Amino acid sequence: MDTRTGLPVVGMIGGGQLARMTHQSAIALGQSLRVLATSPDDGAALVAADVHVGSHLDLAALRDFAKGCDVVTFDHEHVPGEHIRALAADGVAVYPSADALQYAQNKRLMRERLTAMGAPMPRWRPVNRIEDVRDFGDEVGWPIIGKAATGGYDGKGVWVLTGPEPAAELLAQGVELIVEEKVTLDRELAVQVARSPFGQVAAYPVVETVQEDGICVEVLAPAPGLGEEQAAEIQQLGIRIATELGVVGMLAVELFVDADGRFSVNELAMRPHNSGHWTIEGARTSQFEQHLRAVLDYPMGDTSAAAPVVVMANVLGGPDGGMPIDERLHHLFAAEPGVKVHLYGKQVRPGRKIGHVTALGHDLAQTRARAARAAHWLTYGEEPK
Amino acid sequence: MDTRTGLPVVGMIGGGQLARMTHQSAIALGQSLRVLATSPDDGAALVAADVHVGSHLDLAALRDFAKGCDVVTFDHEHVPGEHIRALAADGVAVYPSADALQYAQNKRLMRERLTAMGAPMPRWRPVNRIEDVRDFGDEVGWPIIGKAATGGYDGKGVWVLTGPEPAAELLAQGVELIVEEKVTLDRELAVQVARSPFGQVAAYPVVETVQEDGICVEVLAPAPGLGEEQAAEIQQLGIRIATELGVVGMLAVELFVDADGRFSVNELAMRPHNSGHWTIEGARTSQFEQHLRAVLDYPMGDTSAAAPVVVMANVLGGPDGGMPIDERLHHLFAAEPGVKVHLYGKQVRPGRKIGHVTALGHDLAQTRARAARAAHWLTYGEEPK
């Protein structure tokens, strides 16, 4: 409790853009997010008043950080489970709990748990030996996908295996590996669900995520052409996963849709997620506010969309040189006065996510074009060709 | 320029709720607002990373604060004009300029300037002697309004004069006084206009402001029942005032409407203003982002409304005792999951503005009721009767 305001103190471990945007929502709720950053130059550390600098791998730093927090939560999933358990044993309210978060930290555990739940999933198998890889590939058909159970993100830790040999090297390096069938993708979807300790759940509209090289570049809300029934089915699945896994806070469920329209779970994230950035302007309650409401056990906010079509486009750092970022912003604002910009306070590096833009509208093609144009200006400093 | 991000540094003099909410918008633009607060417990100081503590009346403090800022702007109008001129002479970009801001700082100057412009205004007169007050009252009819030319806000510095005698005391105290006819009010309106140094202007929809005891308690956007032609006329007036006075940043023009539907200018404010808080969720570009865009000479953002009806209700501190503020928030969220809350980080004191709530909808009566119910929960900790 902040005695100056009578309002709770939420601590977020990790000082990236998710903490940065959560701080914006915390301010509206009368709070000031406490941030554990690894560097004073982290995106959230540049803008928050209550910043601790330390490592999320250092239990002493975590314990010091948690002092005076009403709730501790996460901007990423890299805090070791044993540290989270140690904080909980100290009496700290940590959400999501280690028991829930393990399913976002370890893909093998997630696949096992969701298999037991009967959730739709690609065929998959944990593999320890090269023979396991060969047997699985022969069974489901090559190529297959190899995934490191832990530590992957944005396409890292994922390999397309055309035969068993490349897996040998990974296994020899000690990578905990699972293999999955390569789904013939029609598209990818995602659904955001919030859950509070009380057990209230709230699902957002299902969105389509557009990936390039394993990185999400665009989110379309709601997912175009998705039937009401299938949308409801996916929301129900998200709610069931949040409830059965005991998630508290935001849960993002990423899904594959195959050529026959069948969907299966790809990944889980238990925090605000890139596929939910559209909610800042595009939904009545942003995922960042909703995450705070959830971990604080406040009643959930309205998840309905604020416009018929919402498109979020990620802004990646472009090639070195050219127009300074501030000047790019001028051009974007002149070209698209209605597009909303979110910059994360990061140094521009080629391919690095440095921000996102959101466009609201009525027509999908037009709204997509506006968001793409704005993102292009920030990445390349020029009008799209 | 912040060398870590390549983006500009805006400094805001004053650390109240306006700076607090401007910081939220600055974060989205990749910036971190620099705040000059009078106390580390000021609303903005609780949430911003770059806080200086000092007095806005102390030129040395202002000069120190301005170092490294690309632009300096204001959360209030209490910085003396000579200090603003001194900063400008140092080469600091200060917006609005002292030449413009004087019309928001001094009601006599404002009335003179707007009279010269031919803007619609109540009959008024500067008064130095009790005889001037008597003559004016006899001419326009008693009661009349007396106003301190400088220093008033939220109903302070405004007196209803039923005869000349009470003015004698004010004049004896050395109050610089103007008198105005008492307009038979039908309602009050306001319009927000942004203007950049380049000269671009952008006007928001005209709103109705509902006052109680001289304090704005509710804003209805757009102003119900206002004809398109009159709305356009008021927006044009706002644009003309911003342009002729050389305002840079947000300008709020508060207007009286009499029983015959004639409008006249009441007050000017040159900063984000309470009558524009509805724009945070209710317009495509919030007045706080727009203020930053204007003072940075970025192109202006889209001012169109995000919903057919938007209602903002101020939250005043209620009587001492009762439910803690955090618990009130729980009840509000349970009752109204779609209402947006903004708390300013202030200690609750009876009658003090501690936050505001915003409801978006289609039906005026319903949307007003939702906003009023939410504000009531935060003020009184109980369901409205």
Side-chain angles (χ1 to χ4, degrees), chain B residues 44-316:
Chain B
L46 297 178
V47 300
D50 189 2
V51 178
H52 292 221
V53 174
S55 169
H56 56 272
L57 304 174
D58 173 358
L59 181 56
L62 294 174
R63 283 190 157 130
D64 184 57
F65 177 73
K67 271 181 212 144
C69 287
D70 293 85
V71 179
V72 170
T73 186
F74 310 100
D75 150 288
H76 56 65
E77 43 275 297
H78 309 316
V79 180
E82 66 265 28
H83 289 0
I84 300 174
R85 287 180 214 282
L87 291 177
D90 292 347
V92 178
V94 192
Y95 294 123
S97 68
D99 284 352
L101 194 63
Q102 62 180 337
Y103 300 111
Q105 293 178 316
N106 186 310
K107 293 182 173 63
R108 182 182 56 76
L109 291 180
M110 181 271 283
R111 288 284 183 227
E112 280 171 2
R113 184 74 171 80
L114 267 58
T115 300
M117 271 181 60
M121 296 224 287
R123 282 175 291 174
W124 75 283
R125 194 167 297 161
V127 286
N128 296 309
R129 302 169 313 149
I130 187 80
E131 292 77 15
D132 301 336
V133 178
R134 181 180 303 118
D135 290 351
F136 183 80
D138 289 346
E139 193 179 314
V140 305
W142 298 93
I144 61 171
I145 304 294
K147 286 184 179 174
T150 60
Y153 68 98
D154 275 356
K156 291 177 186 69
V158 178
W159 303 272
V160 178
L161 305 176
T162 53
E165 293 73 21
E169 194 182 334
L170 296 166
L171 289 167
Q173 286 167 9
V175 173
E176 184 186 358
L177 201 66
I178 65 171
V179 288
E180 302 179 2
E181 66 176 312
K182 187 169 184 307
V183 175
T184 308
L185 269 186
D186 181 53
R187 60 172 173 169
E188 296 186 49
L189 302 178
V191 65
Q192 266 71 36
V193 176
R195 184 171 174 277
S196 69
F198 180 79
Q200 193 193 357
V201 286
Y204 284 88
V206 178
V207 299
E208 178 171 343
T209 61
V210 181
Q211 324 278 328
E212 271 175 26
D213 303 325
I215 295 180
C216 171
V217 293
E218 202 184 17
V219 172
L220 315 176
L226 187 70
E228 257 183 59
E229 207 171 304
Q230 202 170 23
E233 204 180 327
I234 290 170
Q235 288 179 314
Q236 287 299 335
L237 176 66
I239 290 169
R240 212 180 127 213
I241 293 172
T243 304
E244 295 202 18
L245 271 50
V247 178
V248 168
M250 290 298 305
L251 166 73
V253 181
E254 297 184 86
L255 300 136
F256 293 135
V257 184
D258 70 15
D260 298 319
R262 281 187 302 246
F263 62 86
S264 55
V265 175
N266 177 22
E267 304 264 356
L268 302 183
M270 295 181 193
R271 49 172 171 77
H273 187 256
N274 198 172
S275 61
H277 289 356
W278 68 276
T279 60
I280 298 175
E281 296 90 6
R284 290 287 170 238
T285 307
S286 93
Q287 65 167 349
F288 300 99
E289 177 179 332
Q290 197 78 301
H291 188 74
L292 289 169
R293 288 165 80 134
V295 300
L296 286 165
D297 212 4
Y298 286 155
M300 298 293 91
D302 181 358
T303 56
S304 56
V309 175
V310 184
V311 177
M312 189 283 318
N314 278 325
V315 176
L316 306 181

Side-chain angles (χ1 to χ4, degrees), chain A residues 235-323:
Chain A
Q235 288 179 315
Q236 287 299 335
L237 175 66
I239 289 169
R240 214 181 125 213
I241 293 172
T243 304
E244 295 202 16
L245 271 48
V247 178
V248 167
M250 290 299 305
L251 167 72
V253 182
E254 297 184 85
L255 300 136
F256 293 136
V257 183
D258 71 14
D260 298 319
R262 278 186 303 245
F263 62 86
S264 56
V265 175
N266 176 23
E267 306 263 357
L268 302 183
M270 295 181 193
R271 49 174 170 77
H273 187 256
N274 197 173
S275 61
H277 290 356
W278 68 275
T279 60
I280 298 174
E281 297 90 6
R284 288 288 169 238
T285 307
S286 93
Q287 65 167 350
F288 299 100
E289 177 178 334
Q290 197 79 301
H291 187 74
L292 289 169
R293 288 166 80 134
V295 300
L296 286 165
D297 211 5
Y298 286 156
M300 298 293 91
D302 182 358
T303 56
S304 57
V309 175
V310 184
V311 177
M312 189 281 320
N314 278 325
V315 175
L316 305 182
D320 288 334
M323 202 180 273

